[in-house]
Each structure stands twice: as structure tokens, then as C-alpha cells.
Amino acid sequence: MTQPEKEELGNNIPKVYDPQSFEKKWYEFWEKNKFFHAEVDKSKKPYSMVIPPPNVTGQLHMGHALDNTLQDILIRYHRMQGYNTVWIPGCDHAGIATQAKVEGKLREEGTNRYELGREKFLERVWDWKEKFGSRIMFQLRSLGSSLDWDRERFTMDEGCSRAVREVFVSLYEKGLIYQGTRITNWCPSCNTAISDIEVEHETEQGHLWHLRYEVEGEPGKYVEIATTRPETMFGDTGVAVHPDDERYKDLVGKTLILPVVGRRIPLFADEYVDKEFGTGAVKVTPAHDPNDFEMGQRHHLEEIKVIGNTGKMLEGAGKYAGMDRYECRKALVKELEETGVLVSVEDHEHSVGHCSRCHSTIEPLVSKQWFVKMESLAKPAIEAVKDGRIQFVPERFTKTYINWLENIRDWCISRQLWWGHRIPAWYCDDCGETSVSRTDLTECPHCGSRHIHQDEDVLDTWFSSGLWPFETFGWPDKTPELEQFYPTATLVTGYDIIFFWVARMVMMGLEFGKDIPFHHVFIHGLVRDSQGRKMSKSLGNGIDPVEVVEKYGADTLRFMLITGNTPGNDMRFYWERVESARNFANKIWNASRYMLMNLEGFDKDFKPEESDFTLADKWILSRYAKTAEGVTKSLDNFELGEAGRMIYEFIWNEFCDWYIELTKARLYDKENERAKNTALYVLSYVLEHTLRLLHPFMPFLTEEIWQKVPHDGQWKSIMIADWPTADASLRDDAAEAQMTAIMETIKTVRNLRAEVGAAPGHKSEVMLHFTESSLRPVFAENEGYLKALAAAEPVTLLADDAEKPENAMAGVVGGVEIYLPLKGLIDVEKETSRLQKELDKLEKEIKRLSGKLSNEGFLKKAPEAVVAKEREKLAGYEEKKQAVEGRIQDLAKL
């Protein structure tokens, strides 16, 4: 055997927690032993997930780190529970975004894709994909993601490409995919159509230009219209008013003369027009506005395209042809003003669409594109969520999903790009027919001509990624994996792609996978910087997860991301929280080292009897059982942050700060071997089981320690060990209540000692009076805990009718009154001297303030608020003086 557990490392671990010394080692061990991989096993219940495939545009950011940590926790948890688990890795080709990155690189080199040609350009994009795809996989491994690397996929690999073509052709054959001339959102920079959900709308300050259009044959008579985009007037083919607008009743049906151009255009009535906006008359430009397009269809208006794909004016703009659209606007407005067409200009706030990729202003353009009819696909996707087959976590995102699907429009799926799945449609140059095929065509199926060419466009990225949950398991083939692992169990993703991706997967899954694609959609928020800003390159606040891993370890980053995180909500990244998570890892490391140092000579087969267990043993075993129950319940409810918090509280506060301290007396007692072995048994039992609870959150640290801790030899790794169940026999509410009373008493004694500055090594008498008589025997049997952890010596249990001690500090916890006699607690002479010095200072301040407040000049000149403040100070000093004098008198009695 060459695996790490064979190495002769002794029973202990190094003094210093150094994640770099073992994280890579364990990941290689897991991967080499195929612990991430699972074959189809019908005897086990399946639990499968597909990674939201990261775009090969660049490397992973902190949001990806959160997303994959959440997924890894779920997959490791279910793997340990014995499920037939699989988590599919992969990347998305991200058509428009990746092409934009490569084109940017070409611009830096002084060339472009057209100079390279399609074939050479695609070679450059594949090189980019290999570079950043490899980087992404390295980052995922660095995070500890237990992905089934044997099943890695890419949205443009051979299998996925076959699935995409099958879906396209099937939808086409069903009449759900069609080609049409419609208004689309056009990005002049990316030079492609984009879908509605790829447009980001922002409110901008603009203008409303009022123009007058002359009524034909009636010199001096005009209709005033208002527009936010005067440069589109070259494409006007009508003016519309509302049918009920009395101002225009006599003008409907007449002809207007388009200024500058001189074209005759009709004035017509349409209910779409808002009578209250502007002048109530609107110019209609069917080729450059979606609403105008609809009106144009209803009234049979001509569509005249006057702005081109790159944002420059076309021939229809006359002398302005070739100008940028905004340059044209400036020059045109000047001409309109000079010719008397411009009536007025007013400030106007309106919503402007921008490309979500490059942020250029979108131009609505008429173009011929491929569309998917969405209504019949959306209805089953809505029902799947309404009837509970798919559940959103948190549930509030259900409304977001349903609202969008209920108002869905046909989906423009063609993109004027070179990188992506090319549309499987061929056009015949001879007969003009369009043919869609599952295989590449070399001749026209209609006329037999070999003069055919394939559509130049590619499919929207979301078309192919919508098939991800079932194409990754081999669809359209009926594979064993598809039968076992589809539908998947859980999809983990951000709320920002519910429209883009989640809804499309549900529609495609129901249509082609013949079932829902997943049972749960676990939504998380964004990771923002410490100021609440979105992390981005432009702000320079992005953080590479590997940077954190290399400095603090993957476990630290993972635990920081998971704790304090609630489903669906954004979180902020603070380096202080990273430090805190690292301190937690250190705490576990040191606690484990303490236990391992004492294991020498421990009989691993030793089994204590019930009578061997101390109150502390029963307490920690009960607290562990309840923690295991709570963690399991929280994980089942997708409350991963709460599960992490429970483990943290148990390990740090109960196991480390209390139980370990309570075992020291027994571990150092060479005379009582059985007591020592019992303590070691409980220590190792609780630590080993808690490491398993913690493993999904901090996989590397837990593996490193677990390999040294006594455990069941049937498991080669903690990641394939059984998930620890909550053993009901360990629950002991009485022991918990009793131990809590003792711990609260110890804390109170510590606080009282701290108040008087008692030296840590100085023992002090502690007297206890019980208002709850059942606690007396508990404290009588366990007074050693107070001696060990509260420096209490002696511990006196007062009779029920005993007088309360005088000259003693006092405190109360549930059922116990605690007294610390001052005599012997402090050095009377030293404390009296200190108090006398404090009294002298107070008397000096009182004298100064009394003099000030008896000064008539001060009282007359000083503001009333200042005088009141000085009087308040004096009263405070006099109150303190009285308390110090009382303390000195009490000390004199000792």
C-alpha cells in the first residue's frame, strides 16, 4: 500500500496546523482511490447532482467557491449516509461571453475574427477553453470538491452536441421552433441578437424631443409628437393616437409629411397609445421598437431599417448614413431646430436596456431569427412547482419563478456568433427550401441540389445548458446512469439565474427527460465584498478562492463561507471571518493533538461500564448525541449554515473549553488506570464521531486527524465512513442539567475572582448554599470540578438553614447561591492601599468640581448643558467614593 494511512507518522500530529502540508496529499488519495466515483448500484437509493457548469470565460470567483462548497457538503453528507451518490463536473462554453473574451484578445494583437476566418478563430477559442477549463478544474480540486471526474462533461463535447441537435430537430418537427422576422434585442458591440433576460435595464436621464409633423394638404397645420430617439424618425412609417383622444378625432385617417425625409405617412388610431404621455401622438417605427413593430403588424405598415447591426446609420438616413447613432442624433436635432421642426426639449427619465455581457446600449432591430414557442413548454414547468414536485429553498423564490413563466414570450435562440452549437439548418440555393436535420446535409432533401449551405448562426448558450441535467447522463441514449440518477436530487445555484437557467432546465427536462430535472432548487445569494459591493474586476475587489486556500487552507475558506450564511441571502466577505475560521481549525487541531498525546498505551478495545462514567462523561456524550441529531436535521432541511454553527458551538465551547479541561485530572492520574482509560475512551469516541459530523464542511482537516484517531478499521477514509447517527441511549437530560449547574457555578466563581483581581494560582474558599436541594449531592460528588476549574479550595456546602456568610462576594445561578469569603481571597493590606489611592483621587476630583460649581462666575457664563454635565460628574464621583469607603470598612473587619 502506498496510501497515506500506511505512512509511519506515529500517533500524534505536528504542533502547528499547516493545511498546505496535507490538503493536496489527501485530495490525491481520494481521487486515486476513486472515492468520488460511483457506478450504478440499484441496491442503493440514488443521490445525484450536476454542477452548474462554470463558464470558460475565466477562472472561478468567490461566488463559485460558495456554490461548490454548498454542493460538496450535500454530496459528502449523502455519500456518508450510504446513498449511490454522483456529482457531475463540467464547464459551459458560454458562447457570447467567451467569444467576446477571445475577440478582445485579438484586438490587442491588432487583428479580428474576420481576418482569421471561422476555422482559425474557433481554434483560438478552443485554446482559450483548454487554458481556462484546466484552471477551473484546478480550482475545484483546491476547494476539495468531491466531483466524479470520470464523468466530466463540456457543453460542446460530442455527447452534448448530439443531445442539442436532437432537441432542436425534435422541437422543429413538433412546430415549436420556427424562423421569423421579429424585433429582437441587438447588441451592436457583440454584434448579435440576445434574449430578453440578457438585457439589463437601467434608469437614465435623457430628453424628450417635441417635433411637429405637417398635415398633408393643410399648410400650417401640424401634429406634435414626442420622442426619446429622434434618430429613428428616418424609419417612421406612421403616427398613432388613442381612439378616444378627442384632440385627434378629426385627423385620424389623414396623411402626415415626415420632416427631413418628406415621406407620406398615415395617422391612425391604436389602443396601445397612452393619451397622457407626451402629446398623446407617437411616431411609429416598426423596425426599431417592439411595440411599434406590433402596431405595424396590426396596421400593415412598412418596416424600414435605418440603424445597422453595428449601431451606425444605414442608407435610409440620407446624408447621415454611416454616422454613429448618437452622433446622428446630435446633428439631426440641430437640423430640426434650424428648420423649425423642433418645438421643445424637456428632461426625461427613462429605462434603457444594456447588454448583460458588454454593457452596450441595446438597439431593438428587426431581423430574421430562430425562435422557440414557449407557452406549451412553460405550462408543465409551472405545474411541476405548483404541485410540489419541485421545491425551491427558500420557498419565496417560487413566486419569482412562476411570475416569469406566466408572462413568458417566445425565446429567440439564434445568435450571430461563431462559437457555439451551430444551428442544424441548411438552405438550398436552387429551390430556396430550408431543411433541418439530425445529420449534416450535403444535398437538398427537396430537390437534390448540392448547392446548399448551413445556417451561419449558433444557438443561445442557455439552449444547450438547459439540457445539462439529462444530457450529462447520456441522453438521448437510454443509459443505466440516466435510469438511476435522473431526476437529480438537488440543484444548487444563485438567484440571479432562475430565469436564465433553472426555468429552461425544467421545461427541457419535462419535455425530453420525461420527468422533472431535480427535486429541490437550493438558492444561495451573492458573495459581496466587506462594503456590500458586488465583486468585480472593474472595482478591483475580486478575490481568487485559491489565494485564500494557499494562505489559510481550503477548510478555512469553506467554513467561513458556510457559517453565517442563510439560504437565498447575500453574504459579505471579511478577512476577519477567514481568520476566525482558521482559529477554529487551530482549536480542533490542538484539541486532537492533546488527546493523541495521551493515547500511548491506551487499549483500543477498552469498553467502560456504566459505573465508570463521570458526570462530565455523561454530559458530553449526551451533548454529542443532541448535536448529531440537530446537525442531521439541519442538513436535511438545507440549513447548512445552522448545521455548521451547531458543530462549531459543540467543538469550541463544550468539547474543547469544558470537557477537555475536565479530563485532565484523570489523564494525569497514574494511579487510576481505569479512570484514565474511560476518559480516553470518551474523548476518542466524541472526537471521532464529531470529526465525521464535521467532514462535509472541513474534509481535509478531518481526514488528517481521523486517520490517527481510533476508528473502525473497515473504512479506508473518513469520507466513506458511516454518517454518525444520534444514539438515543446517550441522551441524558439529567446529566446535562446537573453539569450545566456546575459549569454556571464555575463561571460565576471565575467572574467574582476577576472582579477583585485574585491571582490565577491563588486558591480561594467557595461556599455554596442550595435553594434546589437535589443539587447538593451532585456538587458533593463533583466538587473536584470546582477545585480544578475555579481554583476553589476548600469547597464548603452550607446547611440549608445556615446563616449567609458576611464579608463575602456573592453570586446566584439556578438553584445555587455562591459565596467567596473576602478573607483569604485577596491581600487585605495590598487591596486597602489600592483602594485608599483610589479614594484620594476621588476626593481630589470632588473638591475640584465642588469649587467649580460654587463659582458664581462659572454658573453665569457656562451654558446650562455644561453646568448640568459637571453636576452629573460630581454626583458620580460621590457615589463611587461612598462605595470605596464601604469596601475599605469591610476590609478592616477581616
Side-chain angles (χ1 to χ4, degrees), residues 413-573:
I413 56 170
S414 45
R415 298 289 181 269
Q416 288 63 54
L417 305 169
W418 289 354
W419 174 243
H421 294 280
R422 199 162 169 184
I423 290 174
W426 283 260
Y427 307 110
C428 180
D429 300 331
D430 291 332
C431 71
E433 288 289 339
T434 299
S435 303
V436 168
S437 174
R438 289 175 174 80
T439 57
D440 288 354
L441 297 179
T442 55
E443 63 179 49
C444 176
H446 300 279
C447 71
S449 170
R450 298 184 70 84
H451 299 141
I452 63 170
H453 62 279
Q454 188 176 356
D455 195 309
E456 290 289 315
D457 293 350
V458 300
L459 288 164
D460 176 14
T461 297
W462 300 105
F463 188 93
S464 54
S465 56
L467 319 181
W468 190 246
F470 54 89
E471 69 181 356
T472 47
F473 292 116
W475 188 92
D477 295 332
K478 292 182 178 179
T479 64
E481 286 80 7
L482 189 65
E483 186 182 346
Q484 174 76 343
F485 296 120
Y486 185 86
T488 62
T490 306
L491 174 76
V492 180
T493 190
Y495 59 67
D496 52 336
I497 56 172
I498 291 174
F499 308 144
F500 288 97
W501 193 42
V502 178
R504 303 206 190 289
M505 284 190 287
V506 177
M507 288 186 278
M508 293 297 194
L510 289 166
E511 182 70 19
F512 294 100
K514 302 306 177 189
D515 203 342
I516 56 172
F518 26 71
H519 295 284
H520 290 95
V521 182
F522 181 25
I523 300 290
H524 60 77
L526 304 177
V527 180
R528 299 183 179 274
D529 70 6
S530 58
Q531 297 175 46
R533 301 174 301 175
K534 193 172 181 177
M535 291 185 173
S536 68
K537 285 184 180 178
S538 58
L539 290 174
N541 61 350
I543 300 169
D544 180 356
V546 173
E547 175 192 336
V548 185
V549 169
E550 289 175 347
K551 188 174 181 181
Y552 293 95
D555 291 321
T556 293
L557 175 59
R558 289 166 63 109
F559 203 76
M560 183 280 294
L561 289 169
I562 199 65
T563 46
N565 177 31
T566 52
N569 294 330
D570 291 351
M571 65 175 294
R572 295 190 182 189
F573 182 95

Side-chain angles (χ1 to χ4, degrees), residues 194-452:
I194 61 175
S195 65
D196 291 343
I197 54 176
E198 291 171 298
V199 179
E200 294 175 347
H201 291 275
E202 295 176 10
T203 300
E204 292 184 0
Q205 291 295 330
H207 296 94
L208 201 57
W209 285 272
H210 289 254
L211 311 177
R212 57 184 196 173
Y213 287 20
E214 187 178 354
V215 179
E216 185 182 42
E218 300 184 38
K221 192 166 187 179
Y222 300 92
V223 171
E224 186 179 316
I225 63 97
T227 179
T228 58
R229 306 183 67 214
E231 69 279 5
T232 62
M233 66 180 290
F234 297 109
D236 287 1
T237 54
V239 169
V241 295
H242 194 277
D244 300 332
D245 196 330
E246 295 295 331
R247 293 172 292 180
Y248 302 105
K249 285 269 187 187
D250 297 337
L251 292 173
V252 172
K254 293 196 174 185
T255 302
L256 307 179
I257 304 300
L258 182 62
V260 181
V261 181
R263 184 165 59 244
R264 299 172 72 248
I265 59 176
L267 188 147
F268 60 91
D270 193 288
E271 291 192 348
Y272 165 74
V273 179
D274 180 0
K275 290 189 292 183
E276 308 303 320
F277 178 77
T279 64
V282 296
K283 58 192 281 302
V284 181
T285 319
H288 292 283
D289 182 278
N291 298 308
D292 290 6
F293 178 82
E294 297 296 336
M295 281 196 284
Q297 294 283 299
R298 288 195 291 272
H299 298 277
H300 311 291
L301 301 181
E302 186 182 359
E303 296 160 6
I304 302 175
K305 192 172 175 181
V306 295
I307 300 176
N309 294 352
T310 59
K312 294 187 183 299
M313 305 304 292
L314 299 176
E315 287 182 12
K319 63 183 178 182
Y320 298 106
M323 290 181 70
D324 174 78
R325 52 186 167 163
Y326 298 118
E327 288 301 315
C328 170
R329 177 184 293 179
K330 289 179 187 176
L332 176 60
V333 167
K334 187 178 180 183
E335 180 181 349
L336 294 172
E337 186 176 14
E338 290 171 350
T339 56
V341 174
L342 181 64
V343 179
S344 62
V345 183
E346 61 178 288
D347 291 336
H348 178 65
E349 192 178 78
H350 61 141
S351 180
V352 178
H354 295 83
C355 174
S356 62
R357 300 295 182 188
C358 69
H359 214 63
S360 296
T361 302
I362 290 303
E363 188 62 52
L365 292 181
V366 162
S367 58
K368 193 175 185 181
Q369 303 287 346
W370 289 90
F371 295 88
V372 178
K373 292 180 182 177
M374 300 302 286
E375 189 177 352
S376 64
L377 294 172
K379 284 181 179 177
I382 293 169
E383 286 307 310
V385 172
K386 282 187 172 180
D387 65 21
R389 282 176 289 154
I390 298 175
Q391 295 178 12
F392 278 83
V393 181
E395 197 275 334
R396 68 178 186 270
F397 288 103
T398 301
K399 187 177 180 182
T400 307
Y401 167 91
I402 289 174
N403 283 350
W404 185 71
L405 281 175
E406 286 181 340
N407 295 284
I408 201 166
R409 299 202 303 182
D410 285 359
W411 173 20
C412 175
I413 56 170
S414 45
R415 298 289 181 269
Q416 288 63 54
L417 305 169
W418 289 354
W419 174 243
H421 294 280
R422 199 162 169 184
I423 290 174
W426 283 260
Y427 307 110
C428 180
D429 300 331
D430 291 332
C431 71
E433 288 289 339
T434 299
S435 303
V436 168
S437 174
R438 289 175 174 80
T439 57
D440 288 354
L441 297 179
T442 55
E443 63 179 49
C444 176
H446 300 279
C447 71
S449 170
R450 298 184 70 84
H451 299 141
I452 63 170

